[in-house]
Amino acid sequence: MTEEENAESPQEQPTVRLRLLKQLILNYTGPVTGNKYVFSGIGSIVEVDADDATIMLEKKGNKACCPNSVGPQPYFEIVR
């Protein structure tokens, strides 16, 4: 493949499927790429750039979701 052909076909970035664990509509801007992601309620799954996913997986809410849960709960989980 020539250098010119390589420049015409941008390399696809790896993605990760994330599931929203909160009951809310979330319009989220990727912290690394600036890509826009829209999650539409608990259980919604979106393909997210792997660079954004790493940071998004660390995001936790201040409130526990359920009476028996302790501490901040994550917003997202990886779907395999």
Side-chain angles (χ1 to χ4, degrees):
M1 181 179 286
T2 68
E3 191 174 319
E4 190 173 293
E5 288 173 329
N6 195 25
E8 289 177 14
S9 57
Q11 289 189 341
E12 200 168 306
Q13 296 298 317
T15 60
V16 176
R17 296 174 67 207
L18 294 185
R19 177 184 294 127
L20 181 63
L21 302 174
K22 304 284 184 179
Q23 186 53 45
L24 51 90
I25 306 286
L26 183 63
N27 293 306
Y28 196 87
T29 301
V32 176
T33 66
N35 292 341
K36 305 290 184 197
Y37 306 110
V38 179
F39 293 87
S40 42
I42 193 167
S44 59
I45 298 171
V46 175
E47 291 277 337
V48 174
D49 185 282
D51 291 335
D52 290 332
T54 301
I55 294 171
M56 291 169 71
L57 286 165
E58 295 174 4
K59 184 169 177 56
K60 297 192 185 316
N62 293 331
K63 292 184 187 177
C65 70
C66 312
N68 294 331
S69 60
V70 178
Q73 300 297 307
Y75 272 75
F76 306 101
E77 71 180 359
I78 293 177
V79 177
R80 305 262 180 219

